[in-house]
Amino acid sequence: MKDINSKADISKMVHSFYHEVQKDDLIGPIFNEKIKTENWPKHLEKMISFWTTVLFAEQGYRGNPFARHIGLGLAKNHFDRWIKLFKGSLEKNFEGPKASEALMRAEKMRVMFEIKLDYIKSNNGHRPIL
C-alpha cells in the first residue's frame, strides 16, 4: 500500500471517505440533508482543496470549516463515527507518514470542533473568539 503523495491521492482519500459517510446510518442523513445530491461534486472538490492545503501546504482552500458545522446538532457520537469512518477509509487505501499525518490532523480537528461546539451550547449560542 502506498502513502498519500499527490492531489490524486487526496482525491481518492476524500471520495472513499465521503462514499462511506453518505451511506452511514448515523451521520449520512446529516450530511445528505445539508449537502443535496447535486451539490456533492462541489463539496468533494472543496474537501480535496482543503486536504491539499492541510497536507501539502498548497494554497487553494478558502473557507471556515467550523462555521459550516454550527447548527447541525452534532454530538460526541457523531464525531466518534466521523473519525471511525475517516480512519477506516484512510487505512483501507493508504499507509505511511502522510496518511498518519492526515489521521492526526483529523483527530485534532475533531477535538477542536467538539470543544467549540460544546462552548457554544454552554454559552447560549455565543461563538468562541477562536
Side-chain angles (χ1 to χ4, degrees):
M1 208 174 327
K2 67 180 231 144
D3 200 5
I4 300 169
N5 295 310
S6 67
K7 189 171 182 176
D9 293 335
I10 289 175
S11 179
K12 181 178 181 178
M13 176 188 80
V14 166
H15 281 85
S16 173
F17 169 62
Y18 281 102
H19 175 74
E20 296 301 318
V21 166
Q22 285 178 293
K23 65 182 186 176
D24 185 75
D25 63 335
L26 179 63
I27 65 173
I30 296 168
F31 277 85
N32 291 321
E33 173 65 26
K34 185 70 175 173
I35 305 165
K36 303 297 183 207
T37 302
E38 64 275 8
N39 294 330
W40 271 103
K42 183 178 176 183
H43 179 71
L44 295 174
E45 285 303 314
K46 185 174 267 198
M47 292 300 92
I48 291 165
S49 178
F50 173 79
W51 282 104
T52 300
T53 299
V54 168
L55 294 177
F56 295 124
E58 289 182 18
Q59 298 307 310
Y61 175 78
R62 293 190 186 270
N64 181 346
F66 176 71
R68 299 280 187 187
H69 293 81
I70 296 171
L72 295 179
L74 301 174
K76 183 178 182 334
N77 63 324
H78 298 110
F79 287 104
D80 290 346
R81 183 68 58 88
W82 181 86
I83 202 70
K84 178 183 177 184
L85 294 175
F86 187 87
K87 183 178 181 181
S89 178
L90 196 60
E91 289 176 346
K92 182 170 58 175
N93 294 292
F94 301 101
E95 67 180 358
K98 278 293 180 196
S100 296
E101 180 183 350
L103 180 58
M104 179 267 304
R105 289 178 177 263
E107 288 172 338
K108 286 185 178 199
M109 280 182 257
R110 169 203 179 174
V111 170
M112 179 191 65
F113 279 28
E114 281 187 89
I115 289 169
K116 290 170 95 174
L117 288 171
D118 284 346
Y119 177 89
I120 291 169
K121 288 176 192 172
S122 299
N123 289 280
N124 298 319
H126 292 103
R127 294 183 185 186
I129 295 173
L130 304 174

